[in-house]
Amino acid sequence: MISNLYLPSKADILKLVARYPLYMAFLFRRKARFWNRYRWIRRRVDGHVPPPLVYKLYLTLQCNLRCGMCMFWGKQGVGDLGSGLESEKELDWDVVERIFREEGHGRPSFILSGGEPLLYSRFGELSALLKQHRCFAYVCTNGTLVEKYLSAIRDNPYLIFYMSVDGPREINDRLRGSGVYDAAVRSIRSLKKLRRKPYVGVQVTLQPENVRHLHRTCKEMVALGADWILVNLQWFITPQQALQYETVLQKEFDIIPKSHNGFLLPYTIDKEEFIRQCKKIRSEKWPIQISSYLKEPEDIYNYLDHPDANPYNQFCYKEWIRMDVLPDGRVTPCIQYPDITFGSLKERSVMDIWNGRAFMHFRKKISDEPLPVCSRCYCLYLYDAHRQVL
């Protein structure tokens, strides 16, 4: 579950509700829809599943940055995933239109990712389509290209921005490239100057370089007007997990996987410093929610020292809730490890793939036992039936 390093006062929460009434109403509606789906899953894991509540679209694999920790373009990045996806490929507009035509009436939500989603050539048109169908979308961006689409963003209350900022200027630019911090700051300020200000969250991916600066980073982002901060843990797997994953996929699915190599990164954090920073954050009053995937800061020990097991949740509810779509239109059970695919939305309908034999077989497999690489996936926290926050 996503927990709170800090939960603001009731008065500050009411201010957020007053500032973003449409989005806050959506959050409560989504929570109710998720609860209903969780109950459905508990009663009936197999069989035909109701339509997806969420779609995660990898609009493009292109990115204008080369961040070292990135599973695609970082030091250990897999680039084209080794599965025929060219880096210049982007999601076919016919696929986007098919999703809205077939399932837009249910008002699902979307996660727009990449690469860098603002490099998608038809982002403006996608923004208009979201507004037309009144569907909320989370734009996961490095924040350097927002000003390019201000005209499309200006009067669209259905776009939510999650900016990646990994520390104060000198730390962030060491991790992400020279000038990236200032570009992200300009983007946040530009969004906050709009008449209809969008909700802006900031994701800080915990790294050895920035762990001593978590409190300072929160201070800087709150001063800019951030509405939420998530301290994001880096996803990683061990060589042993990688070997087990390769064995399972070859045995169960006759697939030789490659995508997991992007997560074979050493991940060493000063745990005691992380705990100190979290306690420092908790000791002050903040006007916004500051979150982490960990229930308590001390859980960082389990996260780092026992990577083969998730300390909270072992069941991936996501496979009954969210559909992940690759830039070439293929549907994969997990955007993080897209070695397995179930068919292309260029050729088949949403529900034909969603309730197809291959997807149902995969659900049965992971309901019995998660894949060896699943223990650090953020989806186990994000789609957890016991999650306490919206």
Side-chain angles (χ1 to χ4, degrees):
M1 67 180 67
I2 295 182
S3 301
N4 298 310
L5 284 177
Y6 183 87
L7 188 65
S9 67
K10 290 181 179 178
D12 285 324
I13 293 174
L14 289 174
K15 288 178 184 177
L16 277 175
V17 172
R19 195 177 303 144
Y20 308 107
L22 199 62
Y23 177 55
M24 293 300 160
F26 157 73
L27 287 181
F28 284 103
R29 185 171 66 250
R30 185 186 68 172
K31 185 73 170 177
R33 296 179 80 181
F34 276 22
W35 277 339
N36 287 335
R37 184 61 58 88
Y38 291 141
R39 284 194 290 268
W40 186 95
I41 295 168
R42 291 192 192 102
R43 293 196 307 267
R44 178 180 173 183
V45 173
D46 59 352
H48 283 220
V49 183
L53 300 176
V54 184
Y55 294 85
K56 184 163 186 176
L57 308 182
Y58 259 52
L59 297 177
T60 175
L61 291 184
Q62 296 181 87
C63 189
N64 58 325
L65 302 184
R66 292 294 182 267
C67 307
M69 79 293 290
C70 178
M71 62 184 180
F72 291 129
W73 304 117
K75 297 173 183 176
Q76 189 87 10
V78 293
D80 69 352
L81 307 182
S83 57
L85 294 173
E86 298 89 4
S87 61
E88 69 272 18
K89 197 88 168 180
E90 68 172 25
L91 188 61
D92 194 304
W93 185 247
D94 288 343
V95 171
V96 175
E97 289 188 313
R98 161 168 256 166
I99 293 171
F100 280 95
R101 182 174 64 251
E102 294 179 357
E103 301 300 332
H105 61 276
R107 296 185 63 190
S109 59
F110 290 80
I111 302 170
L112 308 180
S113 189
E116 170 51 51
L118 293 180
L119 286 172
Y120 186 53
S121 65
R122 305 187 75 159
F123 184 85
E125 293 167 83
L126 176 54
S127 173
L129 202 56
L130 289 161
K131 185 177 180 181
Q132 175 188 335
H133 288 269
R134 297 181 299 147
C135 295
F136 277 91
Y138 297 92
V139 184
C140 303
T141 174
N142 58 43
T144 60
L145 303 172
V146 167
E147 292 177 301
K148 175 182 176 182
Y149 286 106
L150 283 180
S151 60
I153 296 165
R154 192 178 309 279
D155 295 312
N156 191 339
Y158 297 98
L159 295 178
I160 307 301
F161 288 87
Y162 281 176
M163 304 274 192
S164 292
V165 179
D166 289 338
R169 178 185 290 108
E170 68 276 13
I171 303 300
N172 184 83
D173 286 4
R174 187 188 310 168
L175 292 167
R176 292 183 168 267
S178 178
V180 173
Y181 179 87
D182 287 341
V185 166
R186 284 195 302 271
S187 292
I188 295 174
R189 285 175 174 160
S190 294
L191 291 173
K192 291 303 179 181
K193 286 179 181 177
L194 297 177
R195 182 181 61 83
R196 191 196 291 268
K197 298 174 176 58
Y199 186 96
V200 177
V202 171
Q203 297 189 77
V204 183
T205 300
L206 189 64
Q207 296 291 305
E209 294 88 347
N210 65 16
V211 64
R212 294 188 299 109
H213 304 277
L214 287 183
H215 177 268
R216 179 183 163 194
T217 303
C218 290
K219 282 286 189 183
E220 292 187 8
M221 294 302 105
V222 168
L224 285 170
D227 299 297
W228 180 56
I229 296 173
L230 171 64
V231 178
N232 198 11
L233 299 167
Q234 181 174 307
W235 312 320
F236 72 101
I237 62 173
T238 65
Q240 181 181 6
Q241 286 174 291
L243 181 60
Q244 291 171 341
Y245 178 63
E246 292 163 7
T247 301
V248 168
L249 257 65
Q250 290 181 54
K251 179 181 177 182
E252 297 286 338
F253 302 98
D254 195 25
I255 290 172
I256 298 176
K258 295 183 179 180
S259 67
H260 61 300
N261 292 318
F263 296 92
L264 275 169
L265 288 168
Y267 191 45
T268 305
I269 297 295
D270 186 333
K271 303 164 198 169
E272 293 184 0
E273 181 60 31
F274 171 73
I275 294 170
R276 280 195 293 270
Q277 289 288 318
C278 291
K279 289 182 176 179
K280 189 174 182 181
I281 290 169
R282 283 180 164 178
S283 70
E284 295 188 24
K285 186 179 185 302
W286 304 81
I288 65 169
Q289 180 177 306
I290 302 175
S291 302
S292 167
Y293 290 128
L294 303 176
K295 291 180 183 179
E296 295 296 336
E298 289 77 10
D299 290 343
I300 190 68
Y301 287 100
N302 275 333
Y303 187 87
L304 293 175
D305 298 340
H306 303 284
D308 56 333
N310 186 288
Y312 313 133
N313 175 37
Q314 296 293 330
F315 186 83
C316 185
Y317 289 94
K318 183 194 81 70
E319 303 304 340
W320 287 259
I321 294 174
R322 192 180 93 189
M323 175 179 276
D324 291 359
V325 184
L326 294 166
D328 63 2
R330 288 183 296 163
V331 173
T332 177
C334 184
I335 212 80
Q336 311 305 328
Y337 304 103
D339 302 293
I340 304 172
T341 56
F342 302 136
S344 173
L345 287 172
K346 292 181 180 180
E347 302 162 357
R348 297 168 60 189
S349 71
V350 169
M351 293 307 294
D352 185 39
I353 294 177
W354 185 243
N355 281 316
R357 183 180 298 177
F359 214 145
M360 292 173 69
H361 170 68
F362 182 82
R363 291 190 185 107
K364 177 65 170 63
K365 167 64 183 172
I366 65 163
S367 66
D368 294 335
E369 183 182 15
L371 295 177
V373 293
C374 289
S375 61
R376 286 296 165 265
C377 180
Y378 77 105
C379 290
L380 291 180
Y381 301 86
L382 186 60
Y383 302 99
D384 183 349
H386 301 289
R387 183 176 169 190
Q388 298 297 310
V389 296
L390 293 171

